[in-house]
Amino acid sequence: MPKIGVDRAEYGKYGEDNKISEIKRLKGLRKAKLDVSQEIENFYADDGVYEILDGGISDLGLEFELADILTEAKSDLLGAPIEDGMEIYNQDIQSPYVAASFRTKMSNGKYVYFGLARGKFSIPSLDAQTKEDKLSAQTDTISGKFAAREDKLMMVIAREDSPSFDLNKFYDRVYGTLPDPIEVTSVSVNPKTTIKTQGTAGEQQFTSLVIPVDAADKEVTFSVAPKPTGLAISTDGKLTWTNAVAVGDYTVTATTKGAKVGTATLTLKTPQ
């Protein structure tokens, strides 16, 4: 199935106990390139291919192109200490072992998750250019090499359209831990403004848009104020009113469990 997007670049750093305690996000993912090398050779005998020798996966390469790589991420991925806001790269610097993952979106709206179990990223080069008349965004690229973990695991691929898909099991298999829930940052209500004529019963369906779209809990509670007799809103955002509801403005509010609020307005205007 065609792939139409890529996002959610993540990584986890192995500690001294050879375990990962936290999964972090690399924001601004533009491209992800995964190179897989497998040792397969023909064995010839009796004047032909006698057997195909398969040595398994020999090498995994991962490249992320990002809008920007923040200092904290560079410290985690490259082992560069931070002093007075500066990244310090000494001659004997060594990148720590990490696990990494990302996902691609398919044309059916479902995701395919890719996880690499253990590897190291290398210090990226820089190719900067001057600003020209036409804007040209410059991005950061970081590349890594991955090998087999102690349990021989190298890579995990999980499709969301599989009947047995379980995202928590994917994270547990790759990282040995689960990411913190993604919190809601904002919510909006659509349509933003609705104008109807007073004296006629009616209804309007309002919908909420929670950001980010992959927030852990996107549930919202709808309410309306003021709320005279004859005006009501359902749990899914359908506002209904009778012909007795007075002229005026009525505010529809969607509230998340984290107390983020979005609003819209119904205006009942005076009949002509």
Side-chain angles (χ1 to χ4, degrees):
M1 188 168 292
K3 309 294 190 298
I4 58 174
V6 62
D7 68 352
R8 197 182 278 191
E10 294 172 309
Y11 69 91
K13 185 171 66 173
Y14 283 93
E16 294 182 359
D17 58 357
N18 207 28
K19 294 181 179 180
I20 294 171
S21 60
E22 182 181 9
I23 300 172
K24 296 183 178 181
R25 179 75 61 89
L26 281 170
K27 296 181 179 180
L29 180 63
R30 286 176 48 83
K31 296 180 182 179
K33 182 181 179 182
L34 178 61
D35 291 321
V36 183
S37 298
Q38 186 174 2
E39 293 182 353
I40 297 180
E41 298 289 342
N42 291 334
F43 176 75
Y44 292 89
D46 294 333
D47 293 332
V49 177
Y50 187 81
E51 188 174 350
I52 299 177
L53 304 178
D54 189 345
I57 299 175
S58 59
D59 184 61
L60 282 177
L62 178 62
E63 181 180 282
F64 284 146
E65 180 185 327
L66 301 134
D68 186 25
I69 306 176
L70 300 180
T71 293
E72 179 187 359
K74 288 182 181 178
S75 179
D76 288 338
L77 296 174
L78 306 175
I82 303 172
E83 298 178 6
D84 299 323
M86 299 179 290
E87 304 161 18
I88 307 300
Y89 295 89
N90 295 319
Q91 183 181 16
D92 58 353
I93 190 171
Q94 291 190 3
S95 299
Y97 280 105
V98 298
S101 62
F102 64 96
R103 69 180 187 179
T104 61
K105 190 175 184 179
M106 298 183 289
S107 57
N108 65 356
K110 300 294 185 179
Y111 289 93
V112 181
Y113 291 80
F114 297 82
L116 285 73
R118 186 178 174 87
K120 291 187 175 187
F121 283 96
S122 58
I123 299 173
S125 300
L126 176 65
D127 183 12
Q129 64 184 43
T130 187
K131 180 181 178 183
E132 299 176 350
D133 292 337
K134 185 178 179 181
L135 292 178
S136 178
Q138 300 176 45
T139 57
D140 290 338
T141 300
I142 188 167
S143 302
K145 293 289 187 180
F146 289 76
R149 205 165 57 186
E150 290 181 355
D151 58 1
K152 296 187 177 181
L153 179 67
M154 293 189 72
M155 180 170 60
V156 177
I157 300 176
R159 294 178 61 104
E160 197 175 24
D161 57 0
S162 170
S164 58
F165 173 80
D166 187 325
L167 185 56
N168 285 343
K169 289 184 178 180
F170 167 81
Y171 279 112
D172 186 59
R173 192 67 180 271
V174 176
Y175 295 99
T177 188
L178 301 180
D180 291 334
I182 299 174
E183 296 183 357
V184 173
T185 57
S186 66
V187 59
S188 58
V189 180
N190 292 301
K192 196 68 177 175
T193 302
T194 301
I195 301 175
K196 301 290 184 179
T197 301
Q198 189 273 340
T200 302
E203 64 180 38
Q204 176 65 53
Q205 179 66 56
F206 290 91
T207 59
S208 62
L209 176 61
V210 174
I211 301 297
V213 294
D214 55 354
D217 191 345
K218 296 190 288 185
E219 182 179 349
V220 300
T221 300
F222 282 100
S223 60
V224 61
K227 191 179 180 182
T229 301
L231 183 68
I233 192 164
S234 66
T235 56
D236 65 351
K238 179 181 283 189
L239 184 68
T240 58
W241 60 93
T242 67
N243 56 7
V245 177
V247 169
D249 293 330
Y250 301 90
T251 301
V252 173
T253 301
T255 306
T256 69
K257 288 186 176 180
K260 301 296 183 182
V261 172
T263 61
T265 302
L266 167 69
T267 297
L268 293 181
K269 65 179 183 177
T270 304
Q272 296 298 323

